[in-house]
Amino acid sequence: MLQAGPGGAIPLESDPVTLNVCWPHLYQPLQSLAGVPSFHLPSAAAAAPQPSLWSGGFVPAHLSLCGSPSSSLKLLLCHNSAHSRHTRWGSFLCFSSAGSVSEPAEMDHPKPKVLPAGHHCPSLGMWALEAGSVRFSVPPSISRNSVMVNEPGGHGGPNPCLEGSSIGRESSKVRSRCSTRGLKPERHERLREKMRRRMESGDKWFSLEFFPPRLAEGAADLISGFDQMRAGGPLFIDVTWHPAGDPGSDKETSSMTIAGIAVNYCGLETVLHMTCCCQSQEKITCHLHKAKRLGLKNILALRGDPVGDQWKEEEGGFCYALDLVKHIRSEFGDYFDIGVAGYPKGHPDAGSFESDLKFLKEKVSAGADFIITQLFFEADTFCHFVKACSEIGITCPILPGIFLIQNYHSLQQLVKLSKLEVPQQIKDKIEPIKDNDAAICNYGIDQAVSLCQTLLASGLVPGLHFYTLNRTMAAIQVLKRLGMWTEDPRRFLPWAVSAHPKRWEEDVRPIFWASRPKSYIYRTREWDEFPKGRWGNSSSPAFGELKDYYLFYLKSTSPKEEELLKMWGEELNSEESVFEVFMHYLSGEPNRNGCKVTCLPWNDKPLATDPSLMKEKLLWMNRRGVLTINSQPNINGQPSSHPVLGWGPSGGYVFQKAYLEFFTSPKTVKALLQVLKKYEFRVNYHIVDVKGENITNAPELQPNAVTWGIFPGREIIQPTVVDPVSFMFWKDEAFALWIKQWGKLYAEASPSQEIIRYIHDNYFLVNLVDNDFPLDNCLWQVIEDTFELLDRPPQTDRDMEAT
Ligand SMILES: Cc1cc2nc3c(=O)[nH]c(=O)nc-3n(C[C@H](O)[C@H](O)[C@H](O)COP(=O)(O)OP(=O)(O)OC[C@H]3O[C@@H](n4cnc5c(N)ncnc54)[C@H](O)[C@@H]3O)c2cc1C
């Protein structure tokens, strides 16, 4: 037997030897090395093995070769993914002709499970054969290429991994064909373009300022609030920068982290404040690079307030915001949109209002795109400022900073910091109610509404900028009273989009993460290219490791352990007690602890489906241990404006295939497979266990479109697919959630934990797609037939098997 040596090298003798070599399907071999005469590596597809003999997604090849005494065979493998192309000296398995197997050498890629030749999961394979299923397989073992996916009937193109130079050409071609650019123009625009378009159309916007809280819990609350604020349609949000709070760090509470989350996970156009205070030029450059990496595209460039009484320039740093603007433009060109601060009454340190205005003009001339003003109390102050700006040739948008008076203390604080005078008429109103927070808050809302109305009527404001002080309710009330808070229930795509520029053209995702979009975004954050149009040409998407998923944000926004125990059961007695949890989640009814089950490990939020459409059926299935984690009804052309099912531009029609995804027991799977024979040409299925043994009747590498939309004057948009390759990555996450989120709530080896472990180890994850979307959804019938089969007396069952 020949052994793969360290680094995956196999020593060769001078006598010819025939080797059976195989490598992980995620990789393509590039070349052999070390004195081995050149040899031909058969194409992966040509070398496809007998399915039952191979497990773990390995691609085999038969090589006949010989070497000199010192030579060895070593394969340079190229990661075979559109998202992550890299090369590795890789591991491979090597068989002698007797079929014995060597261990794979280490490789820094998640290793697929490998069974020795001839071994496979006995039960699943047997049932598949019994049920006459089309194919029993493990994760796909041949790479998907552009011909198979994007060019039906075309010619086999070069392997993008082998011909680096063709990669760009291919993807731009695919992009020009498949891209749905223009689906929502704002998604592709930079902030200054959005402002310009809104100004041209007279469509006034609003934006919201937040500051990073001091504690992690506060950060989690703030981020949850972003989702709420997003619903009202702000043009952007901005996050302030406080030198004392380590603002550029990776801390949960840093300005950088909060702004990065707002862009990536909440899909908000975000402006990050940055000051020159206490920072060298190098440090600032580092922060800017980091902001760019995180997908931030807008900076509010500020000098910052002095730490002591007097402003002192940091050694090697900048003296004025102007220097920072110049620095950003010289180091980053036009990448960032830049905002700067303006002072309607002049900056307190300025020699005069006029000199301050002159410096403001310099900031704009150096490359600032818009101005946000310091707070002010009277509309005239702002109008006078805007006119003065215009007179000296400042033409960029000027956004009035609106301060919402919410309590006496915060007003005092702000006035002290900004060195502003509160007008007497406001003082007169506030002083008598200064100990009554609710009354002050109401007054603050009235005062802000009246100020904003006057500003809007002046015709001098393109939009309103609110200093929220992280209290969103008052801002929402003001905006509602102004008629500017317009919650549009229609979605741009069926899933929550990210605002990271590299994801601008992303318009298709696997359906599996529908209830965990943040997990999907996190796991794909390293991709530098996203599937577009038809799940692009991604053959083996390189999803980030599951362990990476437990990042601060996603952890901290989920309920605490005690709350989860109340929802999911302090003690589980049987599998049925788990079924009950699923049912309470679906019904929305309180459980026996009087507690509503608002989330499950696979569903971050309460059920969003229109109850009338699915709820009763889902409850019926879950009662019998078909534990649903994702589903959608079939739709045959509903208007895109439909309040629940609609998405995309108006005037279109949306379509869906019925989809069900659930965990269920081996017994149910066995019956289901029998039933599915009847639906072979109508229903596609994937059934997988925790070890990755997979049974499917779907084409191995072909995504199945399950949601699509047709819109006036556009290509068909197809935002969700059932993709067999991604399903194997999702399956790891879906199974792990049993243990990592649910099982871990209980004491080690306790009966409750054992029940969860039993389900994790034995249940199957199943997805079903009914392809006949214009007909009545047959998946309910599939499940009903399955239950009927399970309910038949045992002898009838045997008879059936015999037939
Ligand atoms: C909308 C807004 C957001 C803010 N966000 C933050 C924040 O997140 N974090 C924070 O710490 N602070 C923030 N501040 C406060 C701000 O940092 C302070 O007001 C600071 O004192 C001035 O910053 P600036 O960017 O306006 O400075 P600059 O524009 O540099 O002006 C500072 C002073 O220097 C003068 N000046 C400017 N250029 C020159 C020049 N070339 N030669 C001589 N004099 C010059 C100006 O007239 C002014 O008096 C914010 C202020 C506003 C209005």
Side-chain angles (χ1 to χ4, degrees), residues 240-241 273 275 300-305 320-322 341 343 347 349-350 356 359 363 372-374 467:
T240 59
W241 183 271
H273 294 207
T275 68
L300 189 70
L302 300 148
R303 186 197 70 177
D305 279 322
Y320 300 109
L322 171 66
Y343 298 82
H347 186 270
D349 301 347
D356 194 39
F359 295 130
K363 291 196 276 191
I372 303 182
T373 75
Q374 178 61 290
Y467 295 113

PDB file of all heavy atoms in Angstrom, residues 240-241 273 275 300-305 320-322 341 343 347 349-350 356 359 363 372-374 467, ligand 1:
ATOM      1  N   THR A 240     -21.978  57.854  15.843  1.00  0.00           N
ATOM      2  CA  THR A 240     -20.976  58.820  16.307  1.00  0.00           C
ATOM      3  C   THR A 240     -19.693  58.121  16.761  1.00  0.00           C
ATOM      4  O   THR A 240     -19.652  56.914  16.941  1.00  0.00           O
ATOM      5  CB  THR A 240     -21.527  59.683  17.459  1.00  0.00           C
ATOM      6  OG1 THR A 240     -21.898  58.808  18.522  1.00  0.00           O
ATOM      7  CG2 THR A 240     -22.738  60.483  17.030  1.00  0.00           C
ATOM      8  N   TRP A 241     -18.657  58.936  16.956  1.00  0.00           N
ATOM      9  CA  TRP A 241     -17.291  58.455  17.223  1.00  0.00           C
ATOM     10  C   TRP A 241     -16.818  59.099  18.523  1.00  0.00           C
ATOM     11  O   TRP A 241     -16.787  60.330  18.622  1.00  0.00           O
ATOM     12  CB  TRP A 241     -16.413  58.893  16.049  1.00  0.00           C
ATOM     13  CG  TRP A 241     -14.993  58.466  16.047  1.00  0.00           C
ATOM     14  CD1 TRP A 241     -13.944  59.124  16.611  1.00  0.00           C
ATOM     15  CD2 TRP A 241     -14.458  57.308  15.404  1.00  0.00           C
ATOM     16  NE1 TRP A 241     -12.781  58.444  16.365  1.00  0.00           N
ATOM     17  CE2 TRP A 241     -13.064  57.325  15.616  1.00  0.00           C
ATOM     18  CE3 TRP A 241     -15.006  56.263  14.671  1.00  0.00           C
ATOM     19  CZ2 TRP A 241     -12.217  56.334  15.124  1.00  0.00           C
ATOM     20  CZ3 TRP A 241     -14.161  55.288  14.168  1.00  0.00           C
ATOM     21  CH2 TRP A 241     -12.787  55.316  14.402  1.00  0.00           C
ATOM     22  N   HIS A 273     -19.078  58.347  11.723  1.00  0.00           N
ATOM     23  CA  HIS A 273     -18.358  59.568  12.103  1.00  0.00           C
ATOM     24  C   HIS A 273     -16.908  59.177  12.378  1.00  0.00           C
ATOM     25  O   HIS A 273     -16.638  58.076  12.845  1.00  0.00           O
ATOM     26  CB  HIS A 273     -18.921  60.168  13.396  1.00  0.00           C
ATOM     27  CG  HIS A 273     -20.322  60.673  13.267  1.00  0.00           C
ATOM     28  ND1 HIS A 273     -20.818  61.679  14.065  1.00  0.00           N
ATOM     29  CD2 HIS A 273     -21.353  60.335  12.453  1.00  0.00           C
ATOM     30  CE1 HIS A 273     -22.073  61.932  13.747  1.00  0.00           C
ATOM     31  NE2 HIS A 273     -22.423  61.109  12.780  1.00  0.00           N
ATOM     32  N   THR A 275     -13.291  61.223  13.971  1.00  0.00           N
ATOM     33  CA  THR A 275     -12.659  62.493  14.359  1.00  0.00           C
ATOM     34  C   THR A 275     -11.137  62.366  14.306  1.00  0.00           C
ATOM     35  O   THR A 275     -10.590  61.265  14.289  1.00  0.00           O
ATOM     36  CB  THR A 275     -13.062  62.922  15.788  1.00  0.00           C
ATOM     37  OG1 THR A 275     -12.480  62.001  16.725  1.00  0.00           O
ATOM     38  CG2 THR A 275     -14.562  62.956  15.976  1.00  0.00           C
ATOM     39  N   LEU A 300     -18.405  60.793   8.090  1.00  0.00           N
ATOM     40  CA  LEU A 300     -18.604  62.183   8.499  1.00  0.00           C
ATOM     41  C   LEU A 300     -17.272  62.621   9.112  1.00  0.00           C
ATOM     42  O   LEU A 300     -16.892  62.164  10.195  1.00  0.00           O
ATOM     43  CB  LEU A 300     -19.743  62.306   9.519  1.00  0.00           C
ATOM     44  CG  LEU A 300     -20.165  63.740   9.825  1.00  0.00           C
ATOM     45  CD1 LEU A 300     -20.886  64.375   8.630  1.00  0.00           C
ATOM     46  CD2 LEU A 300     -21.085  63.817  11.042  1.00  0.00           C
ATOM     47  N   ALA A 301     -16.542  63.436   8.383  1.00  0.00           N
ATOM     48  CA  ALA A 301     -15.177  63.803   8.771  1.00  0.00           C
ATOM     49  C   ALA A 301     -15.213  64.996   9.722  1.00  0.00           C
ATOM     50  O   ALA A 301     -15.680  66.080   9.359  1.00  0.00           O
ATOM     51  CB  ALA A 301     -14.369  64.137   7.523  1.00  0.00           C
ATOM     52  N   LEU A 302     -14.686  64.779  10.940  1.00  0.00           N
ATOM     53  CA  LEU A 302     -14.781  65.794  11.994  1.00  0.00           C
ATOM     54  C   LEU A 302     -13.430  66.028  12.653  1.00  0.00           C
ATOM     55  O   LEU A 302     -12.567  65.145  12.652  1.00  0.00           O
ATOM     56  CB  LEU A 302     -15.760  65.317  13.075  1.00  0.00           C
ATOM     57  CG  LEU A 302     -17.181  65.048  12.595  1.00  0.00           C
ATOM     58  CD1 LEU A 302     -17.790  63.929  13.405  1.00  0.00           C
ATOM     59  CD2 LEU A 302     -18.010  66.310  12.694  1.00  0.00           C
ATOM     60  N   ARG A 303     -13.306  67.188  13.242  1.00  0.00           N
ATOM     61  CA  ARG A 303     -12.098  67.419  14.044  1.00  0.00           C
ATOM     62  C   ARG A 303     -12.224  66.750  15.400  1.00  0.00           C
ATOM     63  O   ARG A 303     -11.305  66.131  15.894  1.00  0.00           O
ATOM     64  CB  ARG A 303     -11.886  68.929  14.248  1.00  0.00           C
ATOM     65  CG  ARG A 303     -10.582  69.249  14.945  1.00  0.00           C
ATOM     66  CD  ARG A 303     -10.569  70.656  15.496  1.00  0.00           C
ATOM     67  NE  ARG A 303     -11.460  70.821  16.637  1.00  0.00           N
ATOM     68  CZ  ARG A 303     -11.588  71.942  17.330  1.00  0.00           C
ATOM     69  NH1 ARG A 303     -10.911  73.008  16.962  1.00  0.00           N
ATOM     70  NH2 ARG A 303     -12.413  72.009  18.367  1.00  0.00           N
ATOM     71  N   GLY A 304     -13.405  66.858  15.999  1.00  0.00           N
ATOM     72  CA  GLY A 304     -13.589  66.345  17.354  1.00  0.00           C
ATOM     73  C   GLY A 304     -13.438  67.455  18.358  1.00  0.00           C
ATOM     74  O   GLY A 304     -12.856  68.511  18.065  1.00  0.00           O
ATOM     75  N   ASP A 305     -13.963  67.219  19.550  1.00  0.00           N
ATOM     76  CA  ASP A 305     -13.851  68.220  20.605  1.00  0.00           C
ATOM     77  C   ASP A 305     -12.555  68.017  21.372  1.00  0.00           C
ATOM     78  O   ASP A 305     -12.088  66.893  21.521  1.00  0.00           O
ATOM     79  CB  ASP A 305     -15.049  68.109  21.558  1.00  0.00           C
ATOM     80  CG  ASP A 305     -16.254  68.824  20.984  1.00  0.00           C
ATOM     81  OD1 ASP A 305     -16.071  69.892  20.382  1.00  0.00           O
ATOM     82  OD2 ASP A 305     -17.373  68.290  21.113  1.00  0.00           O
ATOM     83  N   TYR A 320      -7.392  70.025  11.650  1.00  0.00           N
ATOM     84  CA  TYR A 320      -8.778  70.399  11.335  1.00  0.00           C
ATOM     85  C   TYR A 320      -9.461  69.283  10.543  1.00  0.00           C
ATOM     86  O   TYR A 320      -8.795  68.468   9.898  1.00  0.00           O
ATOM     87  CB  TYR A 320      -8.797  71.683  10.483  1.00  0.00           C
ATOM     88  CG  TYR A 320      -8.152  72.857  11.173  1.00  0.00           C
ATOM     89  CD1 TYR A 320      -6.931  73.351  10.747  1.00  0.00           C
ATOM     90  CD2 TYR A 320      -8.781  73.456  12.271  1.00  0.00           C
ATOM     91  CE1 TYR A 320      -6.330  74.427  11.394  1.00  0.00           C
ATOM     92  CE2 TYR A 320      -8.194  74.531  12.930  1.00  0.00           C
ATOM     93  CZ  TYR A 320      -6.970  75.011  12.488  1.00  0.00           C
ATOM     94  OH  TYR A 320      -6.387  76.062  13.127  1.00  0.00           O
ATOM     95  N   ALA A 321     -10.796  69.368  10.565  1.00  0.00           N
ATOM     96  CA  ALA A 321     -11.564  68.406   9.760  1.00  0.00           C
ATOM     97  C   ALA A 321     -11.160  68.504   8.289  1.00  0.00           C
ATOM     98  O   ALA A 321     -11.146  67.501   7.566  1.00  0.00           O
ATOM     99  CB  ALA A 321     -13.054  68.683   9.932  1.00  0.00           C
ATOM    100  N   LEU A 322     -10.805  69.708   7.877  1.00  0.00           N
ATOM    101  CA  LEU A 322     -10.369  69.915   6.487  1.00  0.00           C
ATOM    102  C   LEU A 322      -9.219  68.971   6.122  1.00  0.00           C
ATOM    103  O   LEU A 322      -9.191  68.383   5.041  1.00  0.00           O
ATOM    104  CB  LEU A 322      -9.934  71.384   6.328  1.00  0.00           C
ATOM    105  CG  LEU A 322      -9.249  71.759   5.019  1.00  0.00           C
ATOM    106  CD1 LEU A 322     -10.206  71.644   3.850  1.00  0.00           C
ATOM    107  CD2 LEU A 322      -8.694  73.191   5.096  1.00  0.00           C
ATOM    108  N   ALA A 341     -19.326  68.762   9.245  1.00  0.00           N
ATOM    109  CA  ALA A 341     -20.218  69.475  10.163  1.00  0.00           C
ATOM    110  C   ALA A 341     -20.289  70.960   9.797  1.00  0.00           C
ATOM    111  O   ALA A 341     -19.294  71.565   9.391  1.00  0.00           O
ATOM    112  CB  ALA A 341     -19.696  69.326  11.593  1.00  0.00           C
ATOM    113  N   TYR A 343     -22.135  74.828  11.220  1.00  0.00           N
ATOM    114  CA  TYR A 343     -22.623  75.446  12.463  1.00  0.00           C
ATOM    115  C   TYR A 343     -23.481  76.664  12.138  1.00  0.00           C
ATOM    116  O   TYR A 343     -22.949  77.750  11.806  1.00  0.00           O
ATOM    117  CB  TYR A 343     -21.426  75.828  13.351  1.00  0.00           C
ATOM    118  CG  TYR A 343     -20.641  74.598  13.729  1.00  0.00           C
ATOM    119  CD1 TYR A 343     -19.689  74.061  12.841  1.00  0.00           C
ATOM    120  CD2 TYR A 343     -20.882  73.928  14.916  1.00  0.00           C
ATOM    121  CE1 TYR A 343     -19.006  72.900  13.143  1.00  0.00           C
ATOM    122  CE2 TYR A 343     -20.200  72.758  15.225  1.00  0.00           C
ATOM    123  CZ  TYR A 343     -19.272  72.259  14.336  1.00  0.00           C
ATOM    124  OH  TYR A 343     -18.615  71.088  14.630  1.00  0.00           O
ATOM    125  N   HIS A 347     -19.098  78.067  14.609  1.00  0.00           N
ATOM    126  CA  HIS A 347     -18.484  77.186  15.605  1.00  0.00           C
ATOM    127  C   HIS A 347     -18.041  78.031  16.801  1.00  0.00           C
ATOM    128  O   HIS A 347     -17.519  79.147  16.611  1.00  0.00           O
ATOM    129  CB  HIS A 347     -17.290  76.454  14.977  1.00  0.00           C
ATOM    130  CG  HIS A 347     -16.683  75.436  15.874  1.00  0.00           C
ATOM    131  ND1 HIS A 347     -15.666  75.739  16.749  1.00  0.00           N
ATOM    132  CD2 HIS A 347     -16.978  74.137  16.072  1.00  0.00           C
ATOM    133  CE1 HIS A 347     -15.337  74.643  17.434  1.00  0.00           C
ATOM    134  NE2 HIS A 347     -16.125  73.650  17.033  1.00  0.00           N
ATOM    135  N   ASP A 349     -15.494  78.056  18.652  1.00  0.00           N
ATOM    136  CA  ASP A 349     -14.080  78.479  18.681  1.00  0.00           C
ATOM    137  C   ASP A 349     -13.731  79.438  17.538  1.00  0.00           C
ATOM    138  O   ASP A 349     -12.621  79.953  17.488  1.00  0.00           O
ATOM    139  CB  ASP A 349     -13.132  77.269  18.537  1.00  0.00           C
ATOM    140  CG  ASP A 349     -13.324  76.237  19.623  1.00  0.00           C
ATOM    141  OD1 ASP A 349     -14.005  76.542  20.616  1.00  0.00           O
ATOM    142  OD2 ASP A 349     -12.797  75.113  19.460  1.00  0.00           O
ATOM    143  N   ALA A 350     -14.657  79.623  16.610  1.00  0.00           N
ATOM    144  CA  ALA A 350     -14.314  80.395  15.406  1.00  0.00           C
ATOM    145  C   ALA A 350     -14.174  81.883  15.731  1.00  0.00           C
ATOM    146  O   ALA A 350     -14.879  82.397  16.609  1.00  0.00           O
ATOM    147  CB  ALA A 350     -15.391  80.195  14.348  1.00  0.00           C
ATOM    148  N   ASP A 356     -15.771  81.073   9.981  1.00  0.00           N
ATOM    149  CA  ASP A 356     -16.162  79.670  10.098  1.00  0.00           C
ATOM    150  C   ASP A 356     -16.760  79.180   8.777  1.00  0.00           C
ATOM    151  O   ASP A 356     -16.493  78.061   8.321  1.00  0.00           O
ATOM    152  CB  ASP A 356     -17.176  79.525  11.243  1.00  0.00           C
ATOM    153  CG  ASP A 356     -17.361  78.069  11.645  1.00  0.00           C
ATOM    154  OD1 ASP A 356     -16.352  77.341  11.658  1.00  0.00           O
ATOM    155  OD2 ASP A 356     -18.502  77.661  11.918  1.00  0.00           O
ATOM    156  N   PHE A 359     -14.137  78.423   6.260  1.00  0.00           N
ATOM    157  CA  PHE A 359     -13.504  77.106   6.458  1.00  0.00           C
ATOM    158  C   PHE A 359     -14.439  75.967   6.036  1.00  0.00           C
ATOM    159  O   PHE A 359     -13.983  74.941   5.543  1.00  0.00           O
ATOM    160  CB  PHE A 359     -13.055  76.930   7.918  1.00  0.00           C
ATOM    161  CG  PHE A 359     -11.968  77.894   8.320  1.00  0.00           C
ATOM    162  CD1 PHE A 359     -12.067  78.660   9.475  1.00  0.00           C
ATOM    163  CD2 PHE A 359     -10.835  78.029   7.526  1.00  0.00           C
ATOM    164  CE1 PHE A 359     -11.058  79.549   9.827  1.00  0.00           C
ATOM    165  CE2 PHE A 359      -9.821  78.921   7.877  1.00  0.00           C
ATOM    166  CZ  PHE A 359      -9.941  79.687   9.030  1.00  0.00           C
ATOM    167  N   LYS A 363     -13.786  72.939   3.312  1.00  0.00           N
ATOM    168  CA  LYS A 363     -14.025  71.499   3.497  1.00  0.00           C
ATOM    169  C   LYS A 363     -14.793  70.940   2.297  1.00  0.00           C
ATOM    170  O   LYS A 363     -14.505  69.841   1.814  1.00  0.00           O
ATOM    171  CB  LYS A 363     -14.831  71.239   4.791  1.00  0.00           C
ATOM    172  CG  LYS A 363     -14.053  71.517   6.074  1.00  0.00           C
ATOM    173  CD  LYS A 363     -14.709  70.909   7.313  1.00  0.00           C
ATOM    174  CE  LYS A 363     -15.794  71.756   7.917  1.00  0.00           C
ATOM    175  NZ  LYS A 363     -16.246  71.309   9.257  1.00  0.00           N
ATOM    176  N   ILE A 372     -23.902  68.305   7.547  1.00  0.00           N
ATOM    177  CA  ILE A 372     -24.937  68.126   8.578  1.00  0.00           C
ATOM    178  C   ILE A 372     -24.700  69.219   9.616  1.00  0.00           C
ATOM    179  O   ILE A 372     -23.559  69.425  10.047  1.00  0.00           O
ATOM    180  CB  ILE A 372     -24.855  66.744   9.260  1.00  0.00           C
ATOM    181  CG1 ILE A 372     -24.966  65.625   8.213  1.00  0.00           C
ATOM    182  CG2 ILE A 372     -25.956  66.602  10.315  1.00  0.00           C
ATOM    183  CD1 ILE A 372     -24.933  64.225   8.800  1.00  0.00           C
ATOM    184  N   THR A 373     -25.760  69.881  10.005  1.00  0.00           N
ATOM    185  CA  THR A 373     -25.531  71.025  10.899  1.00  0.00           C
ATOM    186  C   THR A 373     -25.623  70.631  12.376  1.00  0.00           C
ATOM    187  O   THR A 373     -26.256  69.636  12.740  1.00  0.00           O
ATOM    188  CB  THR A 373     -26.533  72.175  10.676  1.00  0.00           C
ATOM    189  OG1 THR A 373     -27.796  71.808  11.242  1.00  0.00           O
ATOM    190  CG2 THR A 373     -26.674  72.527   9.226  1.00  0.00           C
ATOM    191  N   GLN A 374     -25.005  71.451  13.158  1.00  0.00           N
ATOM    192  CA  GLN A 374     -25.171  71.428  14.606  1.00  0.00           C
ATOM    193  C   GLN A 374     -26.642  71.724  14.909  1.00  0.00           C
ATOM    194  O   GLN A 374     -27.342  72.333  14.085  1.00  0.00           O
ATOM    195  CB  GLN A 374     -24.260  72.523  15.202  1.00  0.00           C
ATOM    196  CG  GLN A 374     -24.309  72.693  16.681  1.00  0.00           C
ATOM    197  CD  GLN A 374     -23.868  71.431  17.399  1.00  0.00           C
ATOM    198  OE1 GLN A 374     -24.588  70.435  17.377  1.00  0.00           O
ATOM    199  NE2 GLN A 374     -22.710  71.477  18.034  1.00  0.00           N
ATOM    200  N   TYR A 467     -31.089  63.947  15.698  1.00  0.00           N
ATOM    201  CA  TYR A 467     -30.233  63.434  16.779  1.00  0.00           C
ATOM    202  C   TYR A 467     -31.150  62.625  17.691  1.00  0.00           C
ATOM    203  O   TYR A 467     -31.876  63.202  18.502  1.00  0.00           O
ATOM    204  CB  TYR A 467     -29.620  64.601  17.563  1.00  0.00           C
ATOM    205  CG  TYR A 467     -28.672  65.454  16.739  1.00  0.00           C
ATOM    206  CD1 TYR A 467     -28.963  66.774  16.417  1.00  0.00           C
ATOM    207  CD2 TYR A 467     -27.472  64.917  16.288  1.00  0.00           C
ATOM    208  CE1 TYR A 467     -28.089  67.541  15.656  1.00  0.00           C
ATOM    209  CE2 TYR A 467     -26.589  65.682  15.525  1.00  0.00           C
ATOM    210  CZ  TYR A 467     -26.908  66.976  15.215  1.00  0.00           C
ATOM    211  OH  TYR A 467     -26.037  67.729  14.464  1.00  0.00           O
TER     212      TYR A 467
HETATM  213  C1  LIG B   1     -23.216  66.869  12.833  1.00  0.00           C
HETATM  214  C2  LIG B   1     -22.131  66.809  13.884  1.00  0.00           C
HETATM  215  C3  LIG B   1     -21.678  65.564  14.280  1.00  0.00           C
HETATM  216  C4  LIG B   1     -20.684  65.456  15.247  1.00  0.00           C
HETATM  217  N1  LIG B   1     -20.232  64.215  15.635  1.00  0.00           N
HETATM  218  C5  LIG B   1     -19.233  64.108  16.531  1.00  0.00           C
HETATM  219  C6  LIG B   1     -18.711  62.833  16.899  1.00  0.00           C
HETATM  220  O1  LIG B   1     -19.166  61.789  16.421  1.00  0.00           O
HETATM  221  N2  LIG B   1     -17.715  62.774  17.784  1.00  0.00           N
HETATM  222  C7  LIG B   1     -17.171  63.911  18.331  1.00  0.00           C
HETATM  223  O2  LIG B   1     -16.236  63.799  19.131  1.00  0.00           O
HETATM  224  N3  LIG B   1     -17.645  65.136  18.006  1.00  0.00           N
HETATM  225  C8  LIG B   1     -18.649  65.261  17.110  1.00  0.00           C
HETATM  226  N4  LIG B   1     -19.116  66.507  16.767  1.00  0.00           N
HETATM  227  C9  LIG B   1     -18.570  67.684  17.412  1.00  0.00           C
HETATM  228  C10 LIG B   1     -17.366  68.287  16.642  1.00  0.00           C
HETATM  229  O3  LIG B   1     -16.313  67.375  16.603  1.00  0.00           O
HETATM  230  C11 LIG B   1     -16.946  69.550  17.338  1.00  0.00           C
HETATM  231  O4  LIG B   1     -17.919  70.520  17.178  1.00  0.00           O
HETATM  232  C12 LIG B   1     -15.585  70.096  17.002  1.00  0.00           C
HETATM  233  O5  LIG B   1     -15.284  71.087  17.939  1.00  0.00           O
HETATM  234  C13 LIG B   1     -15.485  70.692  15.624  1.00  0.00           C
HETATM  235  O6  LIG B   1     -15.466  69.765  14.665  1.00  0.00           O
HETATM  236  P1  LIG B   1     -15.463  70.183  13.110  1.00  0.00           P
HETATM  237  O7  LIG B   1     -15.372  68.949  12.346  1.00  0.00           O
HETATM  238  O8  LIG B   1     -16.578  71.085  12.834  1.00  0.00           O
HETATM  239  O9  LIG B   1     -14.080  70.953  13.047  1.00  0.00           O
HETATM  240  P2  LIG B   1     -13.397  71.942  12.015  1.00  0.00           P
HETATM  241  O10 LIG B   1     -14.152  72.082  10.762  1.00  0.00           O
HETATM  242  O11 LIG B   1     -11.997  71.521  11.918  1.00  0.00           O
HETATM  243  O12 LIG B   1     -13.526  73.309  12.788  1.00  0.00           O
HETATM  244  C14 LIG B   1     -13.003  73.467  14.073  1.00  0.00           C
HETATM  245  C15 LIG B   1     -12.673  74.922  14.349  1.00  0.00           C
HETATM  246  O13 LIG B   1     -11.545  75.283  13.621  1.00  0.00           O
HETATM  247  C16 LIG B   1     -11.818  76.361  12.721  1.00  0.00           C
HETATM  248  N5  LIG B   1     -11.105  76.023  11.487  1.00  0.00           N
HETATM  249  C17 LIG B   1     -11.466  75.096  10.583  1.00  0.00           C
HETATM  250  N6  LIG B   1     -10.564  75.033   9.596  1.00  0.00           N
HETATM  251  C18 LIG B   1      -9.594  75.943   9.896  1.00  0.00           C
HETATM  252  C19 LIG B   1      -8.376  76.338   9.284  1.00  0.00           C
HETATM  253  N7  LIG B   1      -7.985  75.785   8.123  1.00  0.00           N
HETATM  254  N8  LIG B   1      -7.631  77.271   9.880  1.00  0.00           N
HETATM  255  C20 LIG B   1      -8.015  77.834  11.030  1.00  0.00           C
HETATM  256  N9  LIG B   1      -9.158  77.528  11.665  1.00  0.00           N
HETATM  257  C21 LIG B   1      -9.937  76.571  11.098  1.00  0.00           C
HETATM  258  C22 LIG B   1     -13.311  76.388  12.587  1.00  0.00           C
HETATM  259  O14 LIG B   1     -13.785  77.677  12.299  1.00  0.00           O
HETATM  260  C23 LIG B   1     -13.745  75.901  13.946  1.00  0.00           C
HETATM  261  O15 LIG B   1     -13.785  76.942  14.853  1.00  0.00           O
HETATM  262  C24 LIG B   1     -20.135  66.645  15.820  1.00  0.00           C
HETATM  263  C25 LIG B   1     -20.624  67.878  15.427  1.00  0.00           C
HETATM  264  C26 LIG B   1     -21.610  67.975  14.462  1.00  0.00           C
HETATM  265  C27 LIG B   1     -22.124  69.303  14.064  1.00  0.00           C
END
